Amino acid sequence: MTKADVLLGLQWGDEGKGKIVDVLTPKYNIIARFQGGPNAGHTIEFDNKKFILHTIPSGIFNKNKINVIGNGVIIDPYVIKKEIDRLVEGGIEVGDNLLVSRKSHLILPTHRLLDAVYEKAKGDKKIGSTLKGIGPAYTDKISRNGIRVGDMEKTGFDSAYNTSRERHIKTLIMYEKDFNSLLIDGMPFPDYEKAWFEALEILRGLKRIDSEYFLNKALDKNRTVLAEGAQGTLLDIDFGSYPFVTSSNTITAGMCTGLGIAPARVGKVFGIFKAYCTRVGSGPFPTELFDDVGQRLRDIGNEYGSTTGRPRRCGWLDLPALKYAVMLSGVNELMMMKADVLNPFEELKIAVKYNINGKLTEEVPFDEVNINVQPVYKTFKGWQSALDPDGNYDNLPVELKDYISFIEDQLNIPVKIVSVGPDREQTIRR
Ligand code: GDP
Ligand code: IMO
Ligand code: MG
């Protein structure tokens, strides 16, 4: 039985999922996103060109591949229109190679406003949301008030839109009387709403499918599928550091519900992590560095958000968190990203345990948000040299290979790809 593989972020997102999905795409027929929405920002670089995708799967740059936006994804027509425009400007074909599930839900302009007022009301407890309307749109889905892509085909679409809009406005007024003046992507609400409706026509022009049937029939015919995760395990709605999380399941289980692929049909699970850690937005981060080492990681790694431009918080690799992520998703192959960022460092650290009030543990604690989690580090010698990607793993500096071997031994899973730069070509496979 042909099974669908999945690639997931094992940290707080931005591990480099877009780059690796693009690198792996030649081996697959279909690439499918299964959760999240425009909170994601997936960067792909090749031939001196750089693209950032938010909703569209990262397989779009390879000719003759099908890209599916699955039922678990939420779509903002305004954002996807801009994405398509940029791709087309860059000479990338977008047509029948992009299919959208009828069951994926829409992000409405008022979801964006709700996200903004909810976040503001949280004050210093704010989540650091990307403010793309993710929480409010998934809330409507779960509370059975959502509008789906397939509903655009029905006559009652306008009235469903107006009903949601009115309901959202009642809530908005409680938070912000003058909600009309709140800006969405630099536009006051009425202007944004107009642009949103214009963009809806582009979404209507995309091919809409029952993606669960499409994908399962494709697997029946031995066509290969790679599912592309968004965000990361530590932002998972159930297993992340709640409430500082996103609103979807970012683990392998999310692929099953977000595409309609049964657990028995899940094939390889690729787990992707940075050689260190970053987090954008609020919430616990045990290995965060507030000193100049953290700033060096940020500068050398260019750690600024792909979606919001915000500086990312930086710190050392966290093994207890990585073990947790591997456990939750049943990861069986690892990919280590951004090894090159560590090139100049004399000394590197990996957290191997946590010290919580004098007790050592390798488990991520329930109340991580309110307790003091002190990492216990193992120190490594840096390699302090450039990595010349001749594609040969054996030629990497011995200190880097020791660093990787240690991670493999701890997790008991092989590291199959080492990424040494943002470009497609800067990828070492084993
Ligand atoms: P994603 O959300 O997981 O797809 O990751 P992002 O695109 O948000 O962030 C990853 C960033 O790191 C992007 O700017 C990539 O171009 C860049 N990147 C990916 N792999 C590497 C690498 O191996 N080395 C370096 N220096 N940059 C990388
Ligand atoms: P990719 O797919 C990094 C973070 C936000 C915030 C929290 C909730 O590019 O890895 P939301 O907008 O979902 O309400 O934000 O989650 N976040 C991400 N951080 N990468 C992402 O996606 C993220 N998507 C959401 O910064 O802390
Ligand atoms: Mg990203």
Side-chain angles (χ1 to χ4, degrees), residues 239-273:
F239 300 106
S241 44
Y242 195 87
F244 301 102
V245 294
T246 190
S247 301
S248 63
N249 283 117
T250 58
I251 57 176
T252 302
M255 167 213 182
C256 297
T257 57
L259 294 177
I261 289 178
R265 276 200 140 165
V266 177
K268 284 186 189 155
V269 180
F270 303 122
I272 177 167
F273 66 99

PDB file of all heavy atoms in Angstrom, residues 239-273:
ATOM      1  N   PHE A 239      -0.482  20.226  22.603  1.00  0.00           N
ATOM      2  CA  PHE A 239       0.781  19.835  23.255  1.00  0.00           C
ATOM      3  C   PHE A 239       1.796  20.970  23.378  1.00  0.00           C
ATOM      4  O   PHE A 239       2.839  20.796  24.000  1.00  0.00           O
ATOM      5  CB  PHE A 239       1.389  18.643  22.516  1.00  0.00           C
ATOM      6  CG  PHE A 239       0.471  17.450  22.518  1.00  0.00           C
ATOM      7  CD1 PHE A 239      -0.218  17.078  21.371  1.00  0.00           C
ATOM      8  CD2 PHE A 239       0.248  16.741  23.686  1.00  0.00           C
ATOM      9  CE1 PHE A 239      -1.093  15.998  21.384  1.00  0.00           C
ATOM     10  CE2 PHE A 239      -0.629  15.658  23.709  1.00  0.00           C
ATOM     11  CZ  PHE A 239      -1.305  15.290  22.557  1.00  0.00           C
ATOM     12  N   GLY A 240       1.520  22.121  22.786  1.00  0.00           N
ATOM     13  CA  GLY A 240       2.416  23.266  22.912  1.00  0.00           C
ATOM     14  C   GLY A 240       2.252  23.906  24.274  1.00  0.00           C
ATOM     15  O   GLY A 240       1.489  23.436  25.127  1.00  0.00           O
ATOM     16  N   SER A 241       2.977  25.014  24.492  1.00  0.00           N
ATOM     17  CA  SER A 241       2.954  25.681  25.794  1.00  0.00           C
ATOM     18  C   SER A 241       1.722  26.574  25.870  1.00  0.00           C
ATOM     19  O   SER A 241       1.801  27.793  25.755  1.00  0.00           O
ATOM     20  CB  SER A 241       4.234  26.481  25.978  1.00  0.00           C
ATOM     21  OG  SER A 241       4.533  27.196  24.791  1.00  0.00           O
ATOM     22  N   TYR A 242       0.570  25.920  26.062  1.00  0.00           N
ATOM     23  CA  TYR A 242      -0.721  26.595  26.083  1.00  0.00           C
ATOM     24  C   TYR A 242      -0.742  27.691  27.148  1.00  0.00           C
ATOM     25  O   TYR A 242      -0.256  27.440  28.241  1.00  0.00           O
ATOM     26  CB  TYR A 242      -1.805  25.551  26.385  1.00  0.00           C
ATOM     27  CG  TYR A 242      -3.202  26.020  26.093  1.00  0.00           C
ATOM     28  CD1 TYR A 242      -3.759  25.882  24.832  1.00  0.00           C
ATOM     29  CD2 TYR A 242      -3.966  26.618  27.100  1.00  0.00           C
ATOM     30  CE1 TYR A 242      -5.043  26.321  24.564  1.00  0.00           C
ATOM     31  CE2 TYR A 242      -5.242  27.062  26.832  1.00  0.00           C
ATOM     32  CZ  TYR A 242      -5.781  26.909  25.571  1.00  0.00           C
ATOM     33  OH  TYR A 242      -7.045  27.343  25.310  1.00  0.00           O
ATOM     34  N   PRO A 243      -1.278  28.844  26.921  1.00  0.00           N
ATOM     35  CA  PRO A 243      -2.005  29.289  25.724  1.00  0.00           C
ATOM     36  C   PRO A 243      -1.127  29.910  24.631  1.00  0.00           C
ATOM     37  O   PRO A 243      -1.650  30.446  23.671  1.00  0.00           O
ATOM     38  CB  PRO A 243      -2.939  30.357  26.297  1.00  0.00           C
ATOM     39  CG  PRO A 243      -2.128  30.988  27.395  1.00  0.00           C
ATOM     40  CD  PRO A 243      -1.289  29.882  27.974  1.00  0.00           C
ATOM     41  N   PHE A 244       0.189  29.822  24.785  1.00  0.00           N
ATOM     42  CA  PHE A 244       1.081  30.468  23.793  1.00  0.00           C
ATOM     43  C   PHE A 244       1.318  29.520  22.620  1.00  0.00           C
ATOM     44  O   PHE A 244       2.442  29.043  22.394  1.00  0.00           O
ATOM     45  CB  PHE A 244       2.383  30.905  24.474  1.00  0.00           C
ATOM     46  CG  PHE A 244       2.133  31.879  25.596  1.00  0.00           C
ATOM     47  CD1 PHE A 244       2.168  31.472  26.922  1.00  0.00           C
ATOM     48  CD2 PHE A 244       1.806  33.202  25.327  1.00  0.00           C
ATOM     49  CE1 PHE A 244       1.904  32.348  27.950  1.00  0.00           C
ATOM     50  CE2 PHE A 244       1.540  34.096  26.349  1.00  0.00           C
ATOM     51  CZ  PHE A 244       1.584  33.663  27.658  1.00  0.00           C
ATOM     52  N   VAL A 245       0.274  29.239  21.915  1.00  0.00           N
ATOM     53  CA  VAL A 245       0.285  28.245  20.842  1.00  0.00           C
ATOM     54  C   VAL A 245      -0.527  28.771  19.666  1.00  0.00           C
ATOM     55  O   VAL A 245      -1.137  29.836  19.753  1.00  0.00           O
ATOM     56  CB  VAL A 245      -0.348  26.915  21.347  1.00  0.00           C
ATOM     57  CG1 VAL A 245       0.514  26.284  22.431  1.00  0.00           C
ATOM     58  CG2 VAL A 245      -1.768  27.136  21.865  1.00  0.00           C
ATOM     59  N   THR A 246      -0.578  27.998  18.601  1.00  0.00           N
ATOM     60  CA  THR A 246      -1.476  28.335  17.505  1.00  0.00           C
ATOM     61  C   THR A 246      -2.761  27.519  17.678  1.00  0.00           C
ATOM     62  O   THR A 246      -2.933  26.827  18.682  1.00  0.00           O
ATOM     63  CB  THR A 246      -0.791  28.137  16.133  1.00  0.00           C
ATOM     64  OG1 THR A 246      -1.643  28.696  15.128  1.00  0.00           O
ATOM     65  CG2 THR A 246      -0.524  26.657  15.833  1.00  0.00           C
ATOM     66  N   SER A 247      -3.663  27.572  16.710  1.00  0.00           N
ATOM     67  CA  SER A 247      -4.994  26.986  16.926  1.00  0.00           C
ATOM     68  C   SER A 247      -5.218  25.697  16.143  1.00  0.00           C
ATOM     69  O   SER A 247      -6.369  25.349  15.869  1.00  0.00           O
ATOM     70  CB  SER A 247      -6.061  28.011  16.561  1.00  0.00           C
ATOM     71  OG  SER A 247      -5.889  29.163  17.351  1.00  0.00           O
ATOM     72  N   SER A 248      -4.137  24.990  15.793  1.00  0.00           N
ATOM     73  CA  SER A 248      -4.325  23.733  15.063  1.00  0.00           C
ATOM     74  C   SER A 248      -3.357  22.679  15.600  1.00  0.00           C
ATOM     75  O   SER A 248      -2.425  22.997  16.332  1.00  0.00           O
ATOM     76  CB  SER A 248      -4.094  23.948  13.560  1.00  0.00           C
ATOM     77  OG  SER A 248      -2.763  24.340  13.313  1.00  0.00           O
ATOM     78  N   ASN A 249      -3.606  21.422  15.215  1.00  0.00           N
ATOM     79  CA  ASN A 249      -2.680  20.334  15.562  1.00  0.00           C
ATOM     80  C   ASN A 249      -1.589  20.262  14.513  1.00  0.00           C
ATOM     81  O   ASN A 249      -1.841  19.974  13.343  1.00  0.00           O
ATOM     82  CB  ASN A 249      -3.418  18.994  15.661  1.00  0.00           C
ATOM     83  CG  ASN A 249      -4.185  18.872  16.964  1.00  0.00           C
ATOM     84  OD1 ASN A 249      -5.410  18.774  16.960  1.00  0.00           O
ATOM     85  ND2 ASN A 249      -3.493  18.910  18.085  1.00  0.00           N
ATOM     86  N   THR A 250      -0.373  20.528  14.980  1.00  0.00           N
ATOM     87  CA  THR A 250       0.769  20.640  14.066  1.00  0.00           C
ATOM     88  C   THR A 250       1.536  19.329  13.966  1.00  0.00           C
ATOM     89  O   THR A 250       2.571  19.261  13.312  1.00  0.00           O
ATOM     90  CB  THR A 250       1.717  21.735  14.582  1.00  0.00           C
ATOM     91  OG1 THR A 250       2.119  21.374  15.913  1.00  0.00           O
ATOM     92  CG2 THR A 250       1.030  23.086  14.641  1.00  0.00           C
ATOM     93  N   ILE A 251       1.061  18.282  14.650  1.00  0.00           N
ATOM     94  CA  ILE A 251       1.761  16.990  14.713  1.00  0.00           C
ATOM     95  C   ILE A 251       1.211  16.038  13.639  1.00  0.00           C
ATOM     96  O   ILE A 251       0.274  16.389  12.913  1.00  0.00           O
ATOM     97  CB  ILE A 251       1.636  16.388  16.130  1.00  0.00           C
ATOM     98  CG1 ILE A 251       0.157  16.222  16.522  1.00  0.00           C
ATOM     99  CG2 ILE A 251       2.348  17.287  17.131  1.00  0.00           C
ATOM    100  CD1 ILE A 251      -0.055  15.557  17.865  1.00  0.00           C
ATOM    101  N   THR A 252       1.760  14.832  13.568  1.00  0.00           N
ATOM    102  CA  THR A 252       1.328  13.882  12.525  1.00  0.00           C
ATOM    103  C   THR A 252      -0.189  13.683  12.539  1.00  0.00           C
ATOM    104  O   THR A 252      -0.814  13.585  11.474  1.00  0.00           O
ATOM    105  CB  THR A 252       2.036  12.515  12.713  1.00  0.00           C
ATOM    106  OG1 THR A 252       3.449  12.741  12.670  1.00  0.00           O
ATOM    107  CG2 THR A 252       1.678  11.547  11.605  1.00  0.00           C
ATOM    108  N   ALA A 253      -0.773  13.615  13.728  1.00  0.00           N
ATOM    109  CA  ALA A 253      -2.227  13.417  13.819  1.00  0.00           C
ATOM    110  C   ALA A 253      -2.989  14.495  13.048  1.00  0.00           C
ATOM    111  O   ALA A 253      -4.049  14.233  12.480  1.00  0.00           O
ATOM    112  CB  ALA A 253      -2.657  13.410  15.283  1.00  0.00           C
ATOM    113  N   GLY A 254      -2.435  15.701  13.013  1.00  0.00           N
ATOM    114  CA  GLY A 254      -3.073  16.803  12.290  1.00  0.00           C
ATOM    115  C   GLY A 254      -3.125  16.536  10.797  1.00  0.00           C
ATOM    116  O   GLY A 254      -4.031  17.006  10.090  1.00  0.00           O
ATOM    117  N   MET A 255      -2.165  15.774  10.311  1.00  0.00           N
ATOM    118  CA  MET A 255      -2.164  15.412   8.892  1.00  0.00           C
ATOM    119  C   MET A 255      -3.343  14.487   8.586  1.00  0.00           C
ATOM    120  O   MET A 255      -3.976  14.597   7.528  1.00  0.00           O
ATOM    121  CB  MET A 255      -0.849  14.743   8.555  1.00  0.00           C
ATOM    122  CG  MET A 255      -0.828  14.061   7.227  1.00  0.00           C
ATOM    123  SD  MET A 255       0.226  12.615   7.346  1.00  0.00           S
ATOM    124  CE  MET A 255       0.141  12.012   5.694  1.00  0.00           C
ATOM    125  N   CYS A 256      -3.639  13.569   9.509  1.00  0.00           N
ATOM    126  CA  CYS A 256      -4.751  12.632   9.269  1.00  0.00           C
ATOM    127  C   CYS A 256      -6.074  13.391   9.197  1.00  0.00           C
ATOM    128  O   CYS A 256      -6.858  13.187   8.271  1.00  0.00           O
ATOM    129  CB  CYS A 256      -4.795  11.576  10.378  1.00  0.00           C
ATOM    130  SG  CYS A 256      -3.313  10.544  10.407  1.00  0.00           S
ATOM    131  N   THR A 257      -6.307  14.284  10.156  1.00  0.00           N
ATOM    132  CA  THR A 257      -7.581  15.015  10.148  1.00  0.00           C
ATOM    133  C   THR A 257      -7.578  16.114   9.093  1.00  0.00           C
ATOM    134  O   THR A 257      -8.616  16.450   8.544  1.00  0.00           O
ATOM    135  CB  THR A 257      -7.872  15.638  11.527  1.00  0.00           C
ATOM    136  OG1 THR A 257      -6.780  16.486  11.881  1.00  0.00           O
ATOM    137  CG2 THR A 257      -8.044  14.578  12.589  1.00  0.00           C
ATOM    138  N   GLY A 258      -6.416  16.671   8.827  1.00  0.00           N
ATOM    139  CA  GLY A 258      -6.344  17.812   7.904  1.00  0.00           C
ATOM    140  C   GLY A 258      -6.330  17.424   6.437  1.00  0.00           C
ATOM    141  O   GLY A 258      -6.413  18.294   5.557  1.00  0.00           O
ATOM    142  N   LEU A 259      -6.211  16.111   6.170  1.00  0.00           N
ATOM    143  CA  LEU A 259      -6.251  15.661   4.769  1.00  0.00           C
ATOM    144  C   LEU A 259      -7.227  14.506   4.565  1.00  0.00           C
ATOM    145  O   LEU A 259      -7.542  14.163   3.427  1.00  0.00           O
ATOM    146  CB  LEU A 259      -4.850  15.208   4.306  1.00  0.00           C
ATOM    147  CG  LEU A 259      -3.763  16.277   4.224  1.00  0.00           C
ATOM    148  CD1 LEU A 259      -2.433  15.640   3.835  1.00  0.00           C
ATOM    149  CD2 LEU A 259      -4.126  17.372   3.217  1.00  0.00           C
ATOM    150  N   GLY A 260      -7.678  13.890   5.659  1.00  0.00           N
ATOM    151  CA  GLY A 260      -8.531  12.706   5.507  1.00  0.00           C
ATOM    152  C   GLY A 260      -7.725  11.490   5.103  1.00  0.00           C
ATOM    153  O   GLY A 260      -8.195  10.632   4.362  1.00  0.00           O
ATOM    154  N   ILE A 261      -6.489  11.422   5.598  1.00  0.00           N
ATOM    155  CA  ILE A 261      -5.639  10.251   5.351  1.00  0.00           C
ATOM    156  C   ILE A 261      -5.604   9.433   6.651  1.00  0.00           C
ATOM    157  O   ILE A 261      -5.276   9.967   7.713  1.00  0.00           O
ATOM    158  CB  ILE A 261      -4.226  10.687   4.897  1.00  0.00           C
ATOM    159  CG1 ILE A 261      -4.328  11.257   3.477  1.00  0.00           C
ATOM    160  CG2 ILE A 261      -3.237   9.528   4.971  1.00  0.00           C
ATOM    161  CD1 ILE A 261      -3.048  11.762   2.897  1.00  0.00           C
ATOM    162  N   ALA A 262      -5.951   8.150   6.558  1.00  0.00           N
ATOM    163  CA  ALA A 262      -6.047   7.325   7.764  1.00  0.00           C
ATOM    164  C   ALA A 262      -4.662   7.079   8.362  1.00  0.00           C
ATOM    165  O   ALA A 262      -3.675   7.014   7.622  1.00  0.00           O
ATOM    166  CB  ALA A 262      -6.704   5.994   7.412  1.00  0.00           C
ATOM    167  N   PRO A 263      -4.568   6.918   9.704  1.00  0.00           N
ATOM    168  CA  PRO A 263      -3.264   6.669  10.333  1.00  0.00           C
ATOM    169  C   PRO A 263      -2.487   5.516   9.688  1.00  0.00           C
ATOM    170  O   PRO A 263      -1.267   5.611   9.525  1.00  0.00           O
ATOM    171  CB  PRO A 263      -3.639   6.348  11.786  1.00  0.00           C
ATOM    172  CG  PRO A 263      -4.895   7.117  12.007  1.00  0.00           C
ATOM    173  CD  PRO A 263      -5.645   7.077  10.697  1.00  0.00           C
ATOM    174  N   ALA A 264      -3.187   4.448   9.279  1.00  0.00           N
ATOM    175  CA  ALA A 264      -2.488   3.308   8.671  1.00  0.00           C
ATOM    176  C   ALA A 264      -1.870   3.668   7.322  1.00  0.00           C
ATOM    177  O   ALA A 264      -1.049   2.920   6.796  1.00  0.00           O
ATOM    178  CB  ALA A 264      -3.449   2.140   8.503  1.00  0.00           C
ATOM    179  N   ARG A 265      -2.268   4.806   6.770  1.00  0.00           N
ATOM    180  CA  ARG A 265      -1.717   5.228   5.483  1.00  0.00           C
ATOM    181  C   ARG A 265      -0.612   6.275   5.638  1.00  0.00           C
ATOM    182  O   ARG A 265      -0.176   6.870   4.651  1.00  0.00           O
ATOM    183  CB  ARG A 265      -2.818   5.818   4.605  1.00  0.00           C
ATOM    184  CG  ARG A 265      -3.572   4.742   3.856  1.00  0.00           C
ATOM    185  CD  ARG A 265      -4.287   5.308   2.663  1.00  0.00           C
ATOM    186  NE  ARG A 265      -4.164   4.389   1.549  1.00  0.00           N
ATOM    187  CZ  ARG A 265      -4.909   4.462   0.450  1.00  0.00           C
ATOM    188  NH1 ARG A 265      -5.813   5.409   0.326  1.00  0.00           N
ATOM    189  NH2 ARG A 265      -4.733   3.601  -0.522  1.00  0.00           N
ATOM    190  N   VAL A 266      -0.178   6.514   6.875  1.00  0.00           N
ATOM    191  CA  VAL A 266       0.935   7.446   7.078  1.00  0.00           C
ATOM    192  C   VAL A 266       2.243   6.682   6.866  1.00  0.00           C
ATOM    193  O   VAL A 266       2.459   5.622   7.453  1.00  0.00           O
ATOM    194  CB  VAL A 266       0.909   8.064   8.500  1.00  0.00           C
ATOM    195  CG1 VAL A 266       2.110   8.978   8.701  1.00  0.00           C
ATOM    196  CG2 VAL A 266      -0.391   8.827   8.719  1.00  0.00           C
ATOM    197  N   GLY A 267       3.094   7.219   6.011  1.00  0.00           N
ATOM    198  CA  GLY A 267       4.364   6.564   5.718  1.00  0.00           C
ATOM    199  C   GLY A 267       5.475   7.141   6.567  1.00  0.00           C
ATOM    200  O   GLY A 267       5.412   7.129   7.797  1.00  0.00           O
ATOM    201  N   LYS A 268       6.491   7.687   5.902  1.00  0.00           N
ATOM    202  CA  LYS A 268       7.621   8.247   6.644  1.00  0.00           C
ATOM    203  C   LYS A 268       7.219   9.555   7.317  1.00  0.00           C
ATOM    204  O   LYS A 268       6.470  10.356   6.748  1.00  0.00           O
ATOM    205  CB  LYS A 268       8.771   8.544   5.684  1.00  0.00           C
ATOM    206  CG  LYS A 268       9.503   7.301   5.265  1.00  0.00           C
ATOM    207  CD  LYS A 268      10.713   7.688   4.445  1.00  0.00           C
ATOM    208  CE  LYS A 268      11.347   6.473   3.813  1.00  0.00           C
ATOM    209  NZ  LYS A 268      12.084   6.811   2.620  1.00  0.00           N
ATOM    210  N   VAL A 269       7.766   9.773   8.514  1.00  0.00           N
ATOM    211  CA  VAL A 269       7.536  11.039   9.213  1.00  0.00           C
ATOM    212  C   VAL A 269       8.890  11.754   9.320  1.00  0.00           C
ATOM    213  O   VAL A 269       9.786  11.310  10.047  1.00  0.00           O
ATOM    214  CB  VAL A 269       6.920  10.802  10.605  1.00  0.00           C
ATOM    215  CG1 VAL A 269       6.701  12.131  11.317  1.00  0.00           C
ATOM    216  CG2 VAL A 269       5.600  10.031  10.482  1.00  0.00           C
ATOM    217  N   PHE A 270       9.039  12.814   8.553  1.00  0.00           N
ATOM    218  CA  PHE A 270      10.280  13.593   8.559  1.00  0.00           C
ATOM    219  C   PHE A 270      10.149  14.716   9.591  1.00  0.00           C
ATOM    220  O   PHE A 270       9.244  15.540   9.505  1.00  0.00           O
ATOM    221  CB  PHE A 270      10.523  14.249   7.195  1.00  0.00           C
ATOM    222  CG  PHE A 270      10.570  13.286   6.041  1.00  0.00           C
ATOM    223  CD1 PHE A 270       9.697  13.429   4.969  1.00  0.00           C
ATOM    224  CD2 PHE A 270      11.495  12.250   6.011  1.00  0.00           C
ATOM    225  CE1 PHE A 270       9.742  12.558   3.883  1.00  0.00           C
ATOM    226  CE2 PHE A 270      11.545  11.369   4.930  1.00  0.00           C
ATOM    227  CZ  PHE A 270      10.672  11.517   3.869  1.00  0.00           C
ATOM    228  N   GLY A 271      11.072  14.738  10.545  1.00  0.00           N
ATOM    229  CA  GLY A 271      11.060  15.795  11.554  1.00  0.00           C
ATOM    230  C   GLY A 271      12.191  16.767  11.271  1.00  0.00           C
ATOM    231  O   GLY A 271      13.344  16.374  11.107  1.00  0.00           O
ATOM    232  N   ILE A 272      11.871  18.030  11.213  1.00  0.00           N
ATOM    233  CA  ILE A 272      12.866  19.033  10.846  1.00  0.00           C
ATOM    234  C   ILE A 272      13.101  19.986  12.020  1.00  0.00           C
ATOM    235  O   ILE A 272      12.160  20.410  12.678  1.00  0.00           O
ATOM    236  CB  ILE A 272      12.408  19.748   9.543  1.00  0.00           C
ATOM    237  CG1 ILE A 272      13.353  20.851   9.129  1.00  0.00           C
ATOM    238  CG2 ILE A 272      11.020  20.291   9.630  1.00  0.00           C
ATOM    239  CD1 ILE A 272      13.073  21.339   7.705  1.00  0.00           C
ATOM    240  N   PHE A 273      14.394  20.232  12.298  1.00  0.00           N
ATOM    241  CA  PHE A 273      14.731  21.136  13.411  1.00  0.00           C
ATOM    242  C   PHE A 273      15.946  21.977  13.047  1.00  0.00           C
ATOM    243  O   PHE A 273      16.778  21.574  12.234  1.00  0.00           O
ATOM    244  CB  PHE A 273      15.004  20.333  14.697  1.00  0.00           C
ATOM    245  CG  PHE A 273      16.226  19.448  14.640  1.00  0.00           C
ATOM    246  CD1 PHE A 273      17.435  19.867  15.206  1.00  0.00           C
ATOM    247  CD2 PHE A 273      16.190  18.212  14.009  1.00  0.00           C
ATOM    248  CE1 PHE A 273      18.570  19.062  15.147  1.00  0.00           C
ATOM    249  CE2 PHE A 273      17.330  17.400  13.942  1.00  0.00           C
ATOM    250  CZ  PHE A 273      18.514  17.820  14.512  1.00  0.00           C
TER     251      PHE A 273
END
